[in-house]
Amino acid sequence: MTASFMEKLIVQGGAPLSGKVNISGSKNSSLPILAATLLTRDHCVIRRVPDLSDTNYMLRILGELGAEVERASGVVSVKAGKVRHTAPYDLVRKMRASICVLGPLTGRLRRCTVSLPGGCVIGDRPVDLHLRGMEALGADVQVDGGDIRITARGGLRGATMNLMGKHGSTVLGTDNVMMAAVLAKGTTVIEGAAAEPEVEDLANFLIKMGARIEGAGTNRIVIEGVRELHGAEHSVIADRIEAGTFLCAGAMIGRGITLNRVNPAHLSVVIASLRQCGFVIEEGSDSLSIKPNKKAKGFDLTTLCYPGFPTDMQAQFCALACVIHDGSSITETIFPQRFMHVAELKRMGADIDLQGASARIRGGTPLKGAPVMASDLRASAALVLAALVAKGKTEIHRLYHIDRGYEHLDEKLAALGARLERLPS
Ligand code: EPZ
């Protein structure tokens, strides 16, 4: 279900949370895995695809590229019998992550034209590392008129390359190179590869399609090219960032909540950070439980590539820091401008001092409800968290940012006891 642009969320703060919540499939796993279905003319079935505007955009892009696409709740079936080589500008410009069709189109068709993704509120979103990888595989890359044009008439050749950039490794860049290299002639070695669980999940899907990949989930991935790939079925991993967001909610207010259908191993640094603050977290094989702790201590964190502290949890931890009666600090090294949430949290009374890419939060000052504006996906989640504890009513405008990446967040929070409702703005 995608919200209209003009919807808002009204939250009455102070309602205690309790009970259980099922975590959805991962948005950041679903997007590249859906793109990977372009690599075969056979039928693919992807399960646990969350119902988000971002995943729905990707389905529209696959359809516009010529694939037959069907979605029945969380199950998506794709048959890319024939595929056009040009990704439609009007769709690609709306979602940066659509850049991940670059690799499969190049791998399958040996050419493609994909519009340069725009930047977004968390900062400039360059793709130079993606293009470095394509060139290393022997493709000719031209960027003009806002389009990336890739041609590899003689096919792609395996190569050794390093995809590390000044802000570390690139998740979608690693995905794109992997999706092109699986059909290249010979061996590809990606040094400085992103090690995120979503990269490993994509590799596991490609291996089910007949690809030969070793080392996914580490910083060195080796791919043996094959002649063609066949259809496969796959269930995407749990969304570790949605899970981390709910862990923050459970730490901030209520009598304790339990998250089900999660993979604790994908959240180890988030769990360790919460435990270091003094929050008690019980870990099951696919569940996590947490409750508030009035004596929790502040934290001092820096965002890093996986397995370091994830940038996608930075805003949510800023909101958590507001309710810890101590000082905390968080430094953002992946997207240094990713602090859209700070000004809005300060409107609610948060005491935050932003110096460059570091935020210092003095927690404990009571938050008060206020009209605030959602901006990027995770900043918006931070505002919802703050609204749950703020005194009085908070109105969060531009709800579509939340619907991009959180499946039914308001309904899941309401089921845990939160008092909120979605209204036209
Ligand atoms: C993925 O984006 C995620 N999106 C982001 O989640 C996440 O924040 C990011 O990885 C980092 O973990 C999806 O998976 C769909 P990057 P991606 O390439 O792959 C720089 C969310 O909230 N860089 O790993 O686009 C870049 O500017 C979203 O769900 C280059 O310099 O991010 C950044 O500073 C937001 N050149 C750093 O690397 C390049 O060619 C990491 O970016 C590519 C990236």
Side-chain angles (χ1 to χ4, degrees):
M1 169 207 29
T2 50
S4 72
F5 180 86
M6 302 309 283
E7 282 200 305
K8 64 185 175 187
L9 194 64
I10 313 282
V11 186
Q12 292 296 344
L17 301 184
S18 63
K20 298 179 185 325
V21 59
N22 284 336
I23 297 302
S24 299
S26 162
K27 164 177 87 80
N28 292 350
S29 230
S30 301
L31 295 171
I33 285 174
L34 288 170
T37 62
L38 294 168
L39 283 163
T40 177
R41 64 187 71 249
D42 292 355
H43 183 223
C44 291
V45 177
I46 315 297
R47 292 190 170 77
R48 216 178 165 190
V49 175
D51 173 17
L52 306 168
S53 41
D54 271 13
T55 48
N56 293 334
Y57 267 137
M58 183 55 81
L59 298 183
R60 276 177 59 191
I61 291 174
L62 297 183
E64 300 246 343
L65 288 170
E68 295 159 47
V69 177
E70 263 170 57
R71 175 200 265 280
S73 78
V75 182
V76 172
S77 83
V78 184
K79 189 171 185 322
K82 57 185 182 344
V83 178
R84 277 189 282 285
H85 73 281
T86 301
Y89 169 70
D90 64 328
L91 269 187
V92 170
R93 71 180 171 80
K94 286 185 191 160
M95 181 178 70
R96 250 200 38 75
S98 23
I99 189 73
C100 67
V101 302
L102 189 83
L105 288 178
T106 306
R108 166 95 180 261
L109 303 175
R110 303 180 167 184
R111 67 183 182 129
C112 73
T113 302
V114 178
S115 78
L116 263 178
C120 65
V121 286
I122 64 177
D124 175 29
R125 305 294 291 274
V127 291
D128 55 304
L129 301 174
H130 299 240
L131 305 184
R132 179 199 295 176
M134 294 300 142
E135 285 174 334
L137 293 174
D140 173 66
V141 176
Q142 301 295 327
V143 178
D144 66 342
D147 281 336
I148 305 165
R149 287 180 221 291
I150 297 188
T151 46
R153 294 252 178 270
L156 298 172
R157 280 185 323 282
T160 294
M161 66 189 76
N162 190 310
L163 288 189
M164 195 57 94
K166 64 178 187 305
H167 291 284
S169 51
T170 164
V171 172
L172 291 181
T174 303
D175 292 348
N176 263 330
V177 172
M178 203 160 54
M179 290 190 278
V182 292
L183 292 175
K185 284 190 203 65
T187 305
T188 295
V189 179
I190 308 175
E191 306 280 1
E196 271 71 2
E198 293 78 23
V199 176
E200 190 174 2
D201 201 27
L202 169 64
N204 290 337
F205 175 55
L206 291 168
I207 289 165
K208 286 179 184 174
M209 295 173 80
R212 295 171 55 195
I213 303 171
E214 309 252 324
T218 74
N219 297 123
R220 185 175 188 274
I221 303 176
V222 181
I223 299 134
E224 290 298 333
V226 294
R227 231 173 38 76
E228 65 175 7
L229 296 180
H230 51 74
E233 305 213 358
H234 187 77
S235 188
V236 303
I237 56 174
D239 194 310
R240 62 188 169 101
I241 305 301
E242 184 195 20
T245 306
F246 274 98
L247 283 178
C248 289
M252 291 170 75
I253 186 165
R255 293 185 292 278
I257 64 172
T258 297
L259 285 61
N260 289 321
R261 303 193 68 197
V262 294
N263 182 344
H266 291 162
L267 279 150
S268 43
V269 74
V270 171
I271 292 166
S273 306
L274 290 167
R275 281 177 171 152
Q276 248 166 0
C277 294
F279 295 102
V280 173
I281 296 181
E282 279 153 45
E283 224 173 293
S285 59
D286 67 349
S287 69
L288 286 165
S289 301
I290 189 168
K291 61 178 183 290
N293 172 0
K294 290 213 176 329
K295 299 196 186 64
K297 297 191 305 299
F299 55 76
D300 184 0
L301 283 169
T302 299
T303 64
L304 293 169
C305 304
Y306 195 87
F309 188 85
T311 172
D312 290 351
M313 281 302 303
Q314 183 255 109
Q316 297 92 312
F317 264 63
C318 282
L320 169 64
C322 294
V323 302
I324 293 176
H325 292 246
D326 197 359
S328 296
S329 73
I330 196 157
T331 298
E332 173 62 68
T333 69
I334 309 293
F335 294 110
Q337 302 163 42
R338 192 176 197 171
F339 286 104
M340 300 297 290
H341 45 288
V342 169
E344 300 303 308
L345 289 172
K346 289 170 88 163
R347 285 176 51 74
M348 299 173 75
D351 181 350
I352 304 177
D353 178 27
L354 188 56
Q355 298 288 340
S358 286
R360 257 210 79 65
I361 304 110
R362 270 171 295 286
T365 47
L367 296 179
K368 287 190 203 57
V372 289
M373 186 78 78
S375 53
D376 86 275
L377 171 58
R378 309 302 174 186
S380 316
L383 298 181
V384 176
L385 293 175
L388 294 175
V389 302
K391 200 167 162 28
K393 183 176 86 167
T394 299
E395 282 195 9
I396 300 170
H397 294 267
R398 297 194 176 179
L399 215 44
Y400 67 96
H401 285 292
I402 292 184
D403 294 323
R404 283 191 47 204
Y406 286 92
E407 189 176 46
H408 312 323
L409 180 64
D410 45 326
E411 291 162 24
K412 290 181 178 179
L413 285 170
L416 291 173
R419 286 174 52 210
L420 36 73
E421 61 175 328
R422 183 188 274 263
L423 292 172
S425 265

